Each structure stands twice: as structure tokens, then as C-alpha cells.
Amino acid sequence: MPKVGMEPVRRKALVDAALRVIGDQGTLAVTMSDIARRAGVSPSLAHHYFGSKEQLLIETVRSLLRQLRDDTVTALSAAITPREKLSALIRVSFQASQFAPDTIAAWLAFYSEAQRSEDVRRFLVVYARRLRSNLMASLKALCPVDDAERIAEGAAAMIDGLYIRQSLRSAPIGIEASIALTEDYVTSLLDQLHRQGRAI
């Protein structure tokens, strides 16, 4: 019988363990026993809290998105101008916790699973829409909407692409280099619009 008050602690331990096991193995083809063992609980207790491995995996991706959302809100609240907010978005996308090897491996596994699982795909679509929306909110204050859409799509593609490159451990691109590349892309396009008299 689970101890009263332990459910939130155990659920978090299982989500954290799932992230580490997926990261270690680089796949979602892990077992509930693998995850439970890493969390230091029995498989039956893991099933008690989540019902199935699929539900635990969904909660794991939801947890990643929740943490990224919270970090983004914090970063944006500390920025003042639209350009500072853009930089905050770029920096938070490459922050150390998101660039941890386990986290990168888990994200890639979830992207792969999204080809088969509608639930996982839906969560990743939420991430993509949220990133684009945040980028657009700042860019629309700096340039016309059409240009803002083009820059937002390019910046989002760079963020995702550099994130994937980080998974190539033989040729990783570090946090600061990834930030600098994305900043250079955004700045060069905004400067070009300014020279053309199209910046706001």
C-alpha cells in the first residue's frame, strides 16, 4: 500500500527515472521495470501511479514541456524590449538543463515516437506552436508581420536543428555557439530590414 502523501514524490521520481532511462537507451522501447528500478520502486507501484508505460511516457514529455514553459515565462518576464525578449527566448531554448544529454536523447526519442503516437505528436505540436507564437510576439513589434513570420520560422528551424546537432556527440555544438548562431541569424535579418526601411 503506497504511503499517504508520497504520490507526488513517487510520480516525479518515476518521471525523472523515465527521462534518464530513455536518455541512456536512446529509445522509448524501455520497460516499466527498467524505469521502476531506476526510480527505486517496484513495477507494480509504477503501474499503480500511471496505469501503463504509455501514460508514464506521456507524463514525461508533458513534464519536459511544462519545465520549458516555466523557464520561458521566467526568462521573458526578466526581459523588457522586444529584442531582449527574442534573445531571452533563444537563450532559454539552449539552456543547460535542456542541453543535458539525457534530455536531448529523450526529446529525439519522443520526436521519433510522434510518427506512431498521436498523443506524443500532439504534445510536440504544442511545443512548436508555442515557440513560434513567442517568437512572433516579439518580432511583430520589430518588423511587418510577413517578415516576422519568415524570421520566426527560420529561428525556430535553427533552434530545432542545432538541438539535433547537439545529439551528434562526435561533433556537438555548444550552448554559447548555438545561441550565437541563432542570434546572428535574427540580427542579420532585422538589420537587413532596417537598411531597407522596413523595420518598425
Side-chain angles (χ1 to χ4, degrees):
M1 176 73 97
K3 293 180 181 177
V4 175
M6 286 299 292
E7 180 171 353
V9 175
R10 292 271 170 77
R11 286 177 67 90
K12 184 179 186 313
L14 283 161
V15 167
D16 291 345
L19 185 61
R20 292 193 303 273
V21 170
I22 294 165
D24 287 348
Q25 298 188 21
T27 176
L28 297 187
V30 297
T31 67
M32 198 67 130
S33 293
D34 293 333
I35 297 168
R37 188 179 312 110
R38 183 67 69 94
V41 301
S42 68
S44 61
L45 194 60
H47 281 286
H48 170 77
Y49 286 131
F50 288 99
S52 68
K53 184 186 83 170
E54 288 68 30
Q55 288 306 308
L56 174 51
L57 296 179
I58 290 297
E59 181 56 31
T60 302
V61 72
R62 182 184 283 126
S63 175
L64 285 171
L65 286 170
R66 190 182 304 122
Q67 184 61 56
L68 183 57
R69 180 200 63 206
D70 293 347
D71 291 344
T72 299
V73 169
T74 299
L76 289 175
S77 67
I80 298 172
T81 67
R83 187 63 185 87
E84 288 173 352
K85 289 182 183 296
L86 274 178
S87 291
L89 283 168
I90 291 167
R91 183 163 289 279
V92 81
S93 295
F94 296 113
Q95 65 189 346
S97 61
Q98 289 295 323
F99 250 39
D102 287 352
T103 305
I104 290 172
W107 273 114
L108 293 178
F110 284 124
Y111 269 101
S112 177
E113 182 65 16
Q115 307 307 307
R116 297 178 290 277
S117 167
E118 180 60 26
D119 286 336
V120 173
R121 191 191 73 81
R122 183 165 45 86
F123 281 116
L124 295 178
V125 167
V126 167
Y127 154 74
R129 286 179 178 165
R130 189 180 291 160
L131 175 60
R132 184 182 186 281
S133 175
N134 284 330
L135 290 167
M136 283 294 295
S138 296
L139 284 164
K140 284 191 297 186
L142 298 170
C143 60
V145 173
D146 288 350
D147 294 311
E149 289 177 346
R150 178 171 55 92
I151 297 171
E153 290 297 336
M158 281 196 76
I159 288 167
D160 289 344
L162 288 165
Y163 200 82
I164 291 169
R165 284 285 299 274
Q166 182 65 15
S167 70
L168 305 175
R169 296 180 185 176
S170 61
I173 297 176
I175 291 173
E176 293 304 322
S178 296
I179 291 169
L181 283 168
T182 310
E183 284 280 5
D184 287 350
Y185 169 79
V186 170
T187 298
S188 66
L189 290 179
L190 289 174
D191 286 349
Q192 182 181 44
L193 291 174
H194 184 76
R195 288 192 299 273
Q196 295 170 352
R198 293 166 60 196
I200 294 173

PDB file of all heavy atoms in Angstrom, residues 122-147:
ATOM      1  N   ARG A 122       0.868  15.274 -30.667  1.00  0.00           N
ATOM      2  CA  ARG A 122       0.093  16.439 -30.221  1.00  0.00           C
ATOM      3  C   ARG A 122       0.911  17.317 -29.265  1.00  0.00           C
ATOM      4  O   ARG A 122       0.899  18.539 -29.369  1.00  0.00           O
ATOM      5  CB  ARG A 122      -1.184  15.952 -29.542  1.00  0.00           C
ATOM      6  CG  ARG A 122      -2.120  17.051 -29.086  1.00  0.00           C
ATOM      7  CD  ARG A 122      -3.496  16.481 -28.764  1.00  0.00           C
ATOM      8  NE  ARG A 122      -3.413  15.260 -27.984  1.00  0.00           N
ATOM      9  CZ  ARG A 122      -3.324  15.232 -26.661  1.00  0.00           C
ATOM     10  NH1 ARG A 122      -3.280  16.359 -25.982  1.00  0.00           N
ATOM     11  NH2 ARG A 122      -3.274  14.093 -26.016  1.00  0.00           N
ATOM     12  N   PHE A 123       1.645  16.691 -28.360  1.00  0.00           N
ATOM     13  CA  PHE A 123       2.464  17.470 -27.428  1.00  0.00           C
ATOM     14  C   PHE A 123       3.587  18.208 -28.149  1.00  0.00           C
ATOM     15  O   PHE A 123       3.920  19.347 -27.809  1.00  0.00           O
ATOM     16  CB  PHE A 123       3.055  16.562 -26.341  1.00  0.00           C
ATOM     17  CG  PHE A 123       2.070  16.234 -25.250  1.00  0.00           C
ATOM     18  CD1 PHE A 123       1.656  14.936 -25.043  1.00  0.00           C
ATOM     19  CD2 PHE A 123       1.563  17.232 -24.433  1.00  0.00           C
ATOM     20  CE1 PHE A 123       0.753  14.619 -24.038  1.00  0.00           C
ATOM     21  CE2 PHE A 123       0.659  16.936 -23.426  1.00  0.00           C
ATOM     22  CZ  PHE A 123       0.243  15.633 -23.231  1.00  0.00           C
ATOM     23  N   LEU A 124       4.184  17.574 -29.134  1.00  0.00           N
ATOM     24  CA  LEU A 124       5.272  18.221 -29.863  1.00  0.00           C
ATOM     25  C   LEU A 124       4.755  19.355 -30.748  1.00  0.00           C
ATOM     26  O   LEU A 124       5.451  20.349 -30.955  1.00  0.00           O
ATOM     27  CB  LEU A 124       6.041  17.188 -30.689  1.00  0.00           C
ATOM     28  CG  LEU A 124       6.773  16.132 -29.834  1.00  0.00           C
ATOM     29  CD1 LEU A 124       7.467  15.119 -30.725  1.00  0.00           C
ATOM     30  CD2 LEU A 124       7.769  16.784 -28.892  1.00  0.00           C
ATOM     31  N   VAL A 125       3.529  19.205 -31.254  1.00  0.00           N
ATOM     32  CA  VAL A 125       2.904  20.298 -31.997  1.00  0.00           C
ATOM     33  C   VAL A 125       2.669  21.490 -31.071  1.00  0.00           C
ATOM     34  O   VAL A 125       2.869  22.650 -31.449  1.00  0.00           O
ATOM     35  CB  VAL A 125       1.582  19.835 -32.661  1.00  0.00           C
ATOM     36  CG1 VAL A 125       0.776  21.032 -33.161  1.00  0.00           C
ATOM     37  CG2 VAL A 125       1.872  18.885 -33.812  1.00  0.00           C
ATOM     38  N   VAL A 126       2.257  21.211 -29.838  1.00  0.00           N
ATOM     39  CA  VAL A 126       2.077  22.279 -28.844  1.00  0.00           C
ATOM     40  C   VAL A 126       3.396  23.023 -28.644  1.00  0.00           C
ATOM     41  O   VAL A 126       3.429  24.264 -28.614  1.00  0.00           O
ATOM     42  CB  VAL A 126       1.576  21.707 -27.503  1.00  0.00           C
ATOM     43  CG1 VAL A 126       1.700  22.736 -26.384  1.00  0.00           C
ATOM     44  CG2 VAL A 126       0.133  21.246 -27.634  1.00  0.00           C
ATOM     45  N   TYR A 127       4.496  22.268 -28.510  1.00  0.00           N
ATOM     46  CA  TYR A 127       5.812  22.903 -28.341  1.00  0.00           C
ATOM     47  C   TYR A 127       6.129  23.809 -29.530  1.00  0.00           C
ATOM     48  O   TYR A 127       6.528  24.969 -29.361  1.00  0.00           O
ATOM     49  CB  TYR A 127       6.907  21.842 -28.186  1.00  0.00           C
ATOM     50  CG  TYR A 127       8.259  22.333 -28.636  1.00  0.00           C
ATOM     51  CD1 TYR A 127       8.987  23.236 -27.855  1.00  0.00           C
ATOM     52  CD2 TYR A 127       8.795  21.938 -29.860  1.00  0.00           C
ATOM     53  CE1 TYR A 127      10.207  23.731 -28.289  1.00  0.00           C
ATOM     54  CE2 TYR A 127      10.019  22.431 -30.295  1.00  0.00           C
ATOM     55  CZ  TYR A 127      10.717  23.316 -29.510  1.00  0.00           C
ATOM     56  OH  TYR A 127      11.914  23.809 -29.946  1.00  0.00           O
ATOM     57  N   ALA A 128       5.944  23.297 -30.749  1.00  0.00           N
ATOM     58  CA  ALA A 128       6.290  24.067 -31.943  1.00  0.00           C
ATOM     59  C   ALA A 128       5.436  25.326 -32.057  1.00  0.00           C
ATOM     60  O   ALA A 128       5.942  26.406 -32.381  1.00  0.00           O
ATOM     61  CB  ALA A 128       6.117  23.191 -33.191  1.00  0.00           C
ATOM     62  N   ARG A 129       4.161  25.201 -31.767  1.00  0.00           N
ATOM     63  CA  ARG A 129       3.272  26.365 -31.847  1.00  0.00           C
ATOM     64  C   ARG A 129       3.622  27.392 -30.775  1.00  0.00           C
ATOM     65  O   ARG A 129       3.570  28.602 -31.022  1.00  0.00           O
ATOM     66  CB  ARG A 129       1.820  25.916 -31.689  1.00  0.00           C
ATOM     67  CG  ARG A 129       1.289  25.210 -32.927  1.00  0.00           C
ATOM     68  CD  ARG A 129      -0.137  24.760 -32.726  1.00  0.00           C
ATOM     69  NE  ARG A 129      -0.664  24.133 -33.927  1.00  0.00           N
ATOM     70  CZ  ARG A 129      -1.769  23.401 -33.967  1.00  0.00           C
ATOM     71  NH1 ARG A 129      -2.466  23.206 -32.856  1.00  0.00           N
ATOM     72  NH2 ARG A 129      -2.180  22.859 -35.104  1.00  0.00           N
ATOM     73  N   ARG A 130       3.957  26.917 -29.590  1.00  0.00           N
ATOM     74  CA  ARG A 130       4.301  27.827 -28.500  1.00  0.00           C
ATOM     75  C   ARG A 130       5.579  28.604 -28.822  1.00  0.00           C
ATOM     76  O   ARG A 130       5.654  29.817 -28.595  1.00  0.00           O
ATOM     77  CB  ARG A 130       4.459  27.030 -27.201  1.00  0.00           C
ATOM     78  CG  ARG A 130       4.603  27.879 -25.963  1.00  0.00           C
ATOM     79  CD  ARG A 130       4.747  26.992 -24.742  1.00  0.00           C
ATOM     80  NE  ARG A 130       3.511  26.294 -24.453  1.00  0.00           N
ATOM     81  CZ  ARG A 130       3.442  25.186 -23.695  1.00  0.00           C
ATOM     82  NH1 ARG A 130       4.538  24.657 -23.190  1.00  0.00           N
ATOM     83  NH2 ARG A 130       2.283  24.627 -23.453  1.00  0.00           N
ATOM     84  N   LEU A 131       6.578  27.901 -29.369  1.00  0.00           N
ATOM     85  CA  LEU A 131       7.825  28.569 -29.735  1.00  0.00           C
ATOM     86  C   LEU A 131       7.557  29.625 -30.809  1.00  0.00           C
ATOM     87  O   LEU A 131       8.017  30.772 -30.704  1.00  0.00           O
ATOM     88  CB  LEU A 131       8.855  27.548 -30.230  1.00  0.00           C
ATOM     89  CG  LEU A 131      10.169  28.126 -30.762  1.00  0.00           C
ATOM     90  CD1 LEU A 131      10.889  28.941 -29.685  1.00  0.00           C
ATOM     91  CD2 LEU A 131      11.067  26.992 -31.277  1.00  0.00           C
ATOM     92  N   ARG A 132       6.826  29.247 -31.836  1.00  0.00           N
ATOM     93  CA  ARG A 132       6.528  30.190 -32.925  1.00  0.00           C
ATOM     94  C   ARG A 132       5.746  31.385 -32.401  1.00  0.00           C
ATOM     95  O   ARG A 132       6.024  32.537 -32.759  1.00  0.00           O
ATOM     96  CB  ARG A 132       5.735  29.477 -34.021  1.00  0.00           C
ATOM     97  CG  ARG A 132       5.471  30.350 -35.238  1.00  0.00           C
ATOM     98  CD  ARG A 132       4.646  29.612 -36.283  1.00  0.00           C
ATOM     99  NE  ARG A 132       4.506  30.398 -37.492  1.00  0.00           N
ATOM    100  CZ  ARG A 132       3.639  31.404 -37.629  1.00  0.00           C
ATOM    101  NH1 ARG A 132       2.842  31.739 -36.626  1.00  0.00           N
ATOM    102  NH2 ARG A 132       3.566  32.072 -38.768  1.00  0.00           N
ATOM    103  N   SER A 133       4.752  31.141 -31.552  1.00  0.00           N
ATOM    104  CA  SER A 133       3.938  32.219 -31.004  1.00  0.00           C
ATOM    105  C   SER A 133       4.779  33.189 -30.181  1.00  0.00           C
ATOM    106  O   SER A 133       4.614  34.420 -30.293  1.00  0.00           O
ATOM    107  CB  SER A 133       2.822  31.626 -30.141  1.00  0.00           C
ATOM    108  OG  SER A 133       2.090  32.655 -29.504  1.00  0.00           O
ATOM    109  N   ASN A 134       5.674  32.660 -29.373  1.00  0.00           N
ATOM    110  CA  ASN A 134       6.540  33.521 -28.560  1.00  0.00           C
ATOM    111  C   ASN A 134       7.478  34.350 -29.429  1.00  0.00           C
ATOM    112  O   ASN A 134       7.696  35.539 -29.172  1.00  0.00           O
ATOM    113  CB  ASN A 134       7.346  32.680 -27.569  1.00  0.00           C
ATOM    114  CG  ASN A 134       6.507  32.202 -26.400  1.00  0.00           C
ATOM    115  OD1 ASN A 134       5.563  32.860 -25.993  1.00  0.00           O
ATOM    116  ND2 ASN A 134       6.849  31.043 -25.868  1.00  0.00           N
ATOM    117  N   LEU A 135       8.045  33.722 -30.449  1.00  0.00           N
ATOM    118  CA  LEU A 135       8.914  34.454 -31.367  1.00  0.00           C
ATOM    119  C   LEU A 135       8.133  35.552 -32.093  1.00  0.00           C
ATOM    120  O   LEU A 135       8.585  36.691 -32.216  1.00  0.00           O
ATOM    121  CB  LEU A 135       9.544  33.500 -32.387  1.00  0.00           C
ATOM    122  CG  LEU A 135      10.603  32.531 -31.840  1.00  0.00           C
ATOM    123  CD1 LEU A 135      10.896  31.442 -32.865  1.00  0.00           C
ATOM    124  CD2 LEU A 135      11.887  33.269 -31.474  1.00  0.00           C
ATOM    125  N   MET A 136       6.941  35.211 -32.562  1.00  0.00           N
ATOM    126  CA  MET A 136       6.120  36.173 -33.300  1.00  0.00           C
ATOM    127  C   MET A 136       5.720  37.354 -32.428  1.00  0.00           C
ATOM    128  O   MET A 136       5.677  38.496 -32.898  1.00  0.00           O
ATOM    129  CB  MET A 136       4.866  35.486 -33.846  1.00  0.00           C
ATOM    130  CG  MET A 136       5.101  34.640 -35.079  1.00  0.00           C
ATOM    131  SD  MET A 136       5.589  35.623 -36.513  1.00  0.00           S
ATOM    132  CE  MET A 136       4.094  36.597 -36.790  1.00  0.00           C
ATOM    133  N   ALA A 137       5.434  37.113 -31.169  1.00  0.00           N
ATOM    134  CA  ALA A 137       5.007  38.194 -30.278  1.00  0.00           C
ATOM    135  C   ALA A 137       6.051  39.297 -30.217  1.00  0.00           C
ATOM    136  O   ALA A 137       5.713  40.487 -30.200  1.00  0.00           O
ATOM    137  CB  ALA A 137       4.728  37.636 -28.881  1.00  0.00           C
ATOM    138  N   SER A 138       7.315  38.923 -30.192  1.00  0.00           N
ATOM    139  CA  SER A 138       8.392  39.923 -30.148  1.00  0.00           C
ATOM    140  C   SER A 138       8.698  40.478 -31.539  1.00  0.00           C
ATOM    141  O   SER A 138       8.904  41.688 -31.704  1.00  0.00           O
ATOM    142  CB  SER A 138       9.654  39.312 -29.547  1.00  0.00           C
ATOM    143  OG  SER A 138       9.430  38.952 -28.198  1.00  0.00           O
ATOM    144  N   LEU A 139       8.725  39.611 -32.532  1.00  0.00           N
ATOM    145  CA  LEU A 139       9.102  40.044 -33.881  1.00  0.00           C
ATOM    146  C   LEU A 139       8.091  41.019 -34.481  1.00  0.00           C
ATOM    147  O   LEU A 139       8.466  41.938 -35.213  1.00  0.00           O
ATOM    148  CB  LEU A 139       9.282  38.830 -34.793  1.00  0.00           C
ATOM    149  CG  LEU A 139      10.571  38.044 -34.577  1.00  0.00           C
ATOM    150  CD1 LEU A 139      10.485  36.671 -35.221  1.00  0.00           C
ATOM    151  CD2 LEU A 139      11.769  38.824 -35.126  1.00  0.00           C
ATOM    152  N   LYS A 140       6.804  40.855 -34.173  1.00  0.00           N
ATOM    153  CA  LYS A 140       5.786  41.753 -34.736  1.00  0.00           C
ATOM    154  C   LYS A 140       5.953  43.184 -34.248  1.00  0.00           C
ATOM    155  O   LYS A 140       5.451  44.109 -34.880  1.00  0.00           O
ATOM    156  CB  LYS A 140       4.379  41.239 -34.397  1.00  0.00           C
ATOM    157  CG  LYS A 140       3.962  40.045 -35.243  1.00  0.00           C
ATOM    158  CD  LYS A 140       2.487  39.714 -35.086  1.00  0.00           C
ATOM    159  CE  LYS A 140       2.143  39.296 -33.678  1.00  0.00           C
ATOM    160  NZ  LYS A 140       0.733  38.849 -33.562  1.00  0.00           N
ATOM    161  N   ALA A 141       6.664  43.337 -33.128  1.00  0.00           N
ATOM    162  CA  ALA A 141       6.942  44.687 -32.635  1.00  0.00           C
ATOM    163  C   ALA A 141       8.168  45.294 -33.318  1.00  0.00           C
ATOM    164  O   ALA A 141       8.461  46.479 -33.129  1.00  0.00           O
ATOM    165  CB  ALA A 141       7.156  44.650 -31.118  1.00  0.00           C
ATOM    166  N   LEU A 142       8.873  44.475 -34.102  1.00  0.00           N
ATOM    167  CA  LEU A 142      10.120  44.924 -34.723  1.00  0.00           C
ATOM    168  C   LEU A 142      10.050  45.028 -36.243  1.00  0.00           C
ATOM    169  O   LEU A 142      10.871  45.716 -36.850  1.00  0.00           O
ATOM    170  CB  LEU A 142      11.257  43.965 -34.339  1.00  0.00           C
ATOM    171  CG  LEU A 142      11.579  43.860 -32.840  1.00  0.00           C
ATOM    172  CD1 LEU A 142      12.540  42.708 -32.587  1.00  0.00           C
ATOM    173  CD2 LEU A 142      12.155  45.176 -32.335  1.00  0.00           C
ATOM    174  N   CYS A 143       9.091  44.334 -36.853  1.00  0.00           N
ATOM    175  CA  CYS A 143       9.016  44.330 -38.313  1.00  0.00           C
ATOM    176  C   CYS A 143       7.607  43.929 -38.761  1.00  0.00           C
ATOM    177  O   CYS A 143       6.806  43.448 -37.951  1.00  0.00           O
ATOM    178  CB  CYS A 143      10.065  43.375 -38.889  1.00  0.00           C
ATOM    179  SG  CYS A 143       9.899  41.651 -38.362  1.00  0.00           S
ATOM    180  N   PRO A 144       7.294  44.113 -40.050  1.00  0.00           N
ATOM    181  CA  PRO A 144       5.976  43.724 -40.562  1.00  0.00           C
ATOM    182  C   PRO A 144       5.704  42.232 -40.350  1.00  0.00           C
ATOM    183  O   PRO A 144       6.632  41.428 -40.257  1.00  0.00           O
ATOM    184  CB  PRO A 144       6.067  44.070 -42.057  1.00  0.00           C
ATOM    185  CG  PRO A 144       7.115  45.134 -42.135  1.00  0.00           C
ATOM    186  CD  PRO A 144       8.113  44.785 -41.076  1.00  0.00           C
ATOM    187  N   VAL A 145       4.420  41.906 -40.310  1.00  0.00           N
ATOM    188  CA  VAL A 145       4.004  40.536 -39.980  1.00  0.00           C
ATOM    189  C   VAL A 145       4.608  39.501 -40.926  1.00  0.00           C
ATOM    190  O   VAL A 145       5.075  38.449 -40.482  1.00  0.00           O
ATOM    191  CB  VAL A 145       2.464  40.427 -39.975  1.00  0.00           C
ATOM    192  CG1 VAL A 145       2.033  38.972 -39.812  1.00  0.00           C
ATOM    193  CG2 VAL A 145       1.875  41.260 -38.858  1.00  0.00           C
ATOM    194  N   ASP A 146       4.608  39.777 -42.228  1.00  0.00           N
ATOM    195  CA  ASP A 146       5.165  38.807 -43.183  1.00  0.00           C
ATOM    196  C   ASP A 146       6.631  38.509 -42.888  1.00  0.00           C
ATOM    197  O   ASP A 146       7.065  37.352 -42.930  1.00  0.00           O
ATOM    198  CB  ASP A 146       5.022  39.315 -44.621  1.00  0.00           C
ATOM    199  CG  ASP A 146       3.587  39.272 -45.122  1.00  0.00           C
ATOM    200  OD1 ASP A 146       2.745  38.660 -44.416  1.00  0.00           O
ATOM    201  OD2 ASP A 146       3.308  39.837 -46.188  1.00  0.00           O
ATOM    202  N   ASP A 147       7.375  39.575 -42.604  1.00  0.00           N
ATOM    203  CA  ASP A 147       8.790  39.386 -42.266  1.00  0.00           C
ATOM    204  C   ASP A 147       8.934  38.679 -40.926  1.00  0.00           C
ATOM    205  O   ASP A 147       9.808  37.827 -40.751  1.00  0.00           O
ATOM    206  CB  ASP A 147       9.509  40.738 -42.230  1.00  0.00           C
ATOM    207  CG  ASP A 147       9.569  41.393 -43.607  1.00  0.00           C
ATOM    208  OD1 ASP A 147       9.960  40.699 -44.564  1.00  0.00           O
ATOM    209  OD2 ASP A 147       9.219  42.575 -43.710  1.00  0.00           O
TER     210      ASP A 147
END
